[in-house]
């Protein structure tokens, strides 16, 4: 079994403008709609929903009682456009499924589908699928699955989270190579989708600050988020009153090993996180200033240029719609 440091050295990332695009995608978790030769967003969303609903990754209990709690964002669909220096390069669909029961407890599935479009697609084709299965009470993930295809180079990650023991079990596949490894994680670790629902669930006020740990099979990110303003924001989906946030993403690494529980019942030890890269990325993003806290826009500036993801369309099948 490989260690986390060995795994980090072996995984490569694209550079330049491509990196900027994928950074924005990561921060909002959504970049892609469709170009002329792409399936319409409704078909992408339908295929995504079928993929999530068909997954039996947590041991669905067909005879189990339905969960009694409610999940306010079940069935949501978001459509985003991702742009670099004002030019659209990708589009995406983000949606949540219905509340379900499993052997591990109640869960909600959420998925993101990302596709490159136009000139960028011919230059560097991208097609990403990411699904997460998280607890609607804690909003922490049970499992995350990602399939990333960039320029016909495909890799996939599956991560199972054990927050009580501060461990993540990972399976990585690339071409004909398969590897299993473990990673020590903080007890509040999210994946690249579930953290957003955690933030949306919180009461927000000027000056609030939040810290999220995020791990999805590669590196652990520590994201610092500050509420810095109130703004009226226009998107192709309409005008919204918003909260404006500033974020800084750091890369951290576990330094203190988590010991497994021994025969005397000693609990595992949460790892101490060491900062490896102090300011990996920074930028701003906006949530609607209402109970829905809709993710509307994210921006980032770097040496590669200016990146932006913006909401194009939002659908909520429930009785309540977002106020603007």
């Amino acid at each position: 079994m490989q260690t986390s440091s060995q795994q980090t050295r072996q995984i490569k990332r694209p550079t330049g403008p491509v990196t900027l695009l994928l950074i924005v995608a990561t921060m909002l978790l959504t970049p892609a709609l469709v170009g002329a030769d792409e399936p319409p967003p409704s078909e992408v969303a339908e295929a995504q929903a079928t993929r999530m609903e068909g997954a039996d990754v947590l041991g669905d209990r067909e005879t189990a009682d339905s969960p009694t709690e409610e999940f306010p964002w079940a069935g949501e669909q978001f459509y985003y456009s991702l742009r670099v220096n004002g030019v659209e390069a990708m589009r995406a669909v983000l949606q949540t499924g219905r509340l379900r029961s499993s052997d591990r407890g109640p869960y909600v599935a959420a998925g993101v589908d990302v596709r490159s479009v136009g000139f960028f697609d011919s230059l560097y084709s991208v097609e990403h699928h990411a699904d997460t299965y998280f607890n609607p009470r804690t909003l922490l993930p049970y499992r995350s699955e990602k399939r990333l295809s960039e320029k016909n180079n495909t890799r996939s990650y599956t991560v199972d989270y054990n927050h009580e023991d501060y461990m993540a079990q990972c399976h990585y596949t690339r071409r004909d190579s398969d590897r299993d490894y473990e990673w020590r994680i903080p007890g509040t670790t999210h994946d690249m989708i579930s953290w957003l629902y955690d933030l949306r669930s919180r009461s927000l006020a000027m000056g609030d600050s939040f810290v999220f740990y995020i791990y999805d099979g590669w590196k652990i990110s520590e994201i610092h988020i500050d509420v810095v303003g109130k703004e009226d924001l226009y998107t192709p989906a309409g005008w919204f009153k918003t909260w404006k946030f500033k974020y800084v993403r750091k890369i951290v690494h576990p330094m203190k090993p988590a010991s497994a529980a021994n025969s005397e019942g000693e609990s595992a030890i949460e790892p101490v996180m060491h900062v490896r890269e102090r300011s990996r990325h920074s930028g701003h993003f906006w949530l609607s200033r209402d109970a829905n806290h809709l993710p509307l826009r994210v921006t980032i500036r770097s040496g590669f240029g200016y990146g932006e993801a913006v909401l194009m369309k939002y659908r909520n099948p429930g009785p309540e719609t977002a106020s603007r």
Side-chain angles (χ1 to χ4, degrees):
M1 180 173 292
Q2 294 183 315
T3 64
S4 4
S5 59
Q6 288 173 331
Q7 178 68 9
T8 301
R9 288 195 299 268
Q10 290 179 354
I11 300 174
K12 305 296 183 181
R13 287 286 188 182
T15 58
V18 173
T19 299
L20 179 63
L21 287 167
L22 299 179
I23 290 168
V24 178
T26 295
M27 287 309 304
L28 191 56
L29 316 173
T30 48
L33 270 160
V34 290
D37 297 328
E38 298 287 341
S42 59
E43 290 186 11
V44 174
E46 182 178 354
Q48 183 185 82
T50 300
R51 185 177 74 241
M52 291 190 301
E53 286 293 316
D56 189 18
V57 299
L58 301 181
D60 284 5
R61 295 180 296 177
E62 296 296 336
T63 60
D65 294 334
S66 298
T68 56
E69 60 263 70
E70 295 181 357
F71 185 72
W73 302 296
E76 279 186 325
Q77 294 179 359
F78 295 89
Y79 302 88
Y80 294 89
S81 174
L82 181 66
R83 305 160 184 174
V84 170
N85 297 327
V87 178
E88 185 175 59
M90 300 181 191
R91 293 189 174 184
V93 177
L94 164 67
Q95 71 173 320
T96 54
R98 59 186 174 89
L99 189 62
R100 302 177 70 172
S101 294
S102 77
D103 292 342
R104 298 182 66 178
Y107 76 92
V108 173
V112 176
D113 278 39
V114 177
R115 298 174 186 234
S116 52
V117 297
F119 174 75
F120 181 80
D121 183 61
S122 63
L123 179 68
Y124 195 94
S125 62
V126 170
E127 185 172 346
H128 290 181
H129 308 290
D131 299 323
T132 181
Y133 306 87
F134 61 92
N135 188 320
R137 299 167 184 164
T138 66
L139 301 175
L140 293 174
Y142 296 113
R143 169 178 283 204
S144 68
E145 299 176 344
K146 294 194 308 180
R147 183 179 182 276
L148 311 177
S149 179
E150 298 165 8
K151 209 171 182 179
N152 297 319
N153 183 13
T154 300
R155 64 190 186 276
S156 65
Y157 301 84
T158 299
V159 182
D160 286 293
Y161 300 85
N162 185 340
H163 294 91
E164 292 184 357
D165 289 339
Y166 311 112
M167 296 295 293
Q169 302 288 336
C170 311
H171 181 75
Y172 172 67
T173 301
R174 185 170 187 170
R175 296 178 182 170
D176 297 327
S177 173
D178 289 89
R179 293 193 292 274
D180 292 292
Y181 53 98
E182 294 181 337
W183 205 288
R184 300 187 300 276
I185 59 173
T188 57
T189 299
H190 283 279
D191 63 23
M192 298 306 296
I193 299 177
S194 64
W195 78 272
L196 181 60
Y197 292 94
D198 190 332
L199 180 63
R200 292 177 68 189
S201 73
R202 300 180 184 232
S203 297
L204 301 173
M206 282 294 299
D208 282 350
S209 295
F210 307 97
V211 176
F212 294 98
Y213 289 105
I214 298 172
Y215 179 66
D216 60 349
W218 190 44
K219 294 181 178 180
I220 300 179
S221 296
E222 181 182 295
I223 298 182
H224 292 249
I225 298 173
D226 299 310
V227 182
V228 297
K230 297 180 179 179
E231 289 187 358
D232 291 342
L233 176 69
Y234 176 75
T235 74
W239 281 97
F240 296 86
K241 293 185 180 299
T242 72
W243 292 110
K244 182 180 181 180
F245 302 81
K246 179 180 179 180
Y247 69 83
V248 176
R249 178 190 176 204
K250 302 177 181 180
I251 301 300
V252 295
H253 193 75
M255 295 298 293
K256 187 175 181 180
S259 62
N262 60 23
S263 58
E264 298 178 354
E266 180 184 351
S267 298
I269 301 173
E270 186 166 15
V272 174
M273 307 309 295
H274 171 71
V275 176
R276 299 183 66 174
E277 297 181 45
R278 232 165 233 294
S279 181
R280 181 68 177 268
H281 312 301
S282 62
H284 295 88
F285 69 94
W286 291 256
L287 298 181
S288 64
R289 205 165 70 240
D290 56 20
N292 294 291
H293 289 163
L294 305 178
L296 302 170
R297 184 178 182 230
V298 60
T299 62
I300 185 171
R301 290 188 181 276
S302 76
F304 309 132
Y306 176 78
E308 174 189 30
V310 62
L311 180 68
M312 304 292 290
K313 183 168 61 175
Y314 168 71
R315 290 179 178 175
N316 183 349
E320 297 182 3
T321 57
S323 59
R324 295 181 184 163

